[in-house]
Structure formats: structure tokens, C-alpha cells
Amino acid sequence: MNPANPWRGESSLIVAGEARVLRPSFAALVAAEEELGPLFALVERAAAGQLRLAELIGLFWHCLARRDGLTREQLGEAVVAQGLAGVSPQLRGLLGQILQGEG
């Protein structure tokens, strides 16, 4: 697996003992928006501390570069195991990409 490329807005998340790349591609963000509603509203909820766990998992799910048999439940379990503080760098990175795009 290729490591995350921070210059492309990617980050890594450990799921089931494996580093998984979160890649906020156009297709991933469109899919996330279809499920979660407008992305700007998602960013606003996050800034206000109102982002729900299901929304966080949904955003991460759509931004996974590859799933390879991974279930959404496993992703959720990994996030809960790491705690919200543990995954906040990845969330900040994705939200930053939504707001700013690629540099």
C-alpha cells in the first residue's frame, strides 16, 4: 500500500491494525455529500462541536482510498477505539481540504 501523501490532502487512519489512506478526492467528497448533506454545513457543525459520530464515520468511509473487505462497522470500531481525540488530526485534515482544496 502507498503511504498517505499530505501534499494531496491525504492522511492515514489505523483500522484493524493496518494504515488506511483517507483521500478526499472529488468523487469521495461528492459521495459523502450525497449521504451527509452539504459539506459546508458539515464543516460548520464540526466547528460548532455538533458533528455526530455517524457523520464522522460517513466522511471517513467515503474518503477511504481502498476498502478491501473492510466494513463500515469495522471503521467505526477503529474510530471508537482510538477516540475522537485520536482521529481529530485526520478529521481536521479532511475538513481543511473541503474548505481550502489542494494547495
Side-chain angles (χ1 to χ4, degrees):
M1 177 179 132
N2 295 331
N5 181 348
W7 296 108
R8 288 180 38 177
E10 297 174 351
S11 60
S12 292
L13 180 69
I14 303 299
V15 181
E18 182 181 341
R20 301 278 182 151
V21 173
L22 296 171
R23 180 176 298 142
S25 67
F26 175 74
L29 295 178
V30 167
E33 189 170 56
E34 284 293 316
E35 177 184 339
L36 305 170
L39 294 179
F40 193 77
L42 182 84
V43 171
E44 286 181 329
R45 285 193 302 280
Q50 300 297 313
L51 188 67
R52 298 176 310 170
L53 182 59
E55 292 174 315
L56 171 81
I57 300 303
L59 180 62
F60 282 5
W61 179 254
H62 290 292
C63 289
L64 280 172
R66 63 179 183 79
R67 296 186 185 130
D68 296 341
L70 181 71
T71 67
R72 198 165 175 152
E73 184 176 346
Q74 288 172 311
L75 175 62
E77 294 289 334
V79 167
V80 169
Q82 293 173 62
L84 293 179
V87 300
S88 63
Q90 293 87 346
L91 177 60
R92 275 194 306 271
L94 291 176
L95 296 176
Q97 283 299 112
I98 290 168
L99 287 173
Q100 299 174 12
E102 292 184 38

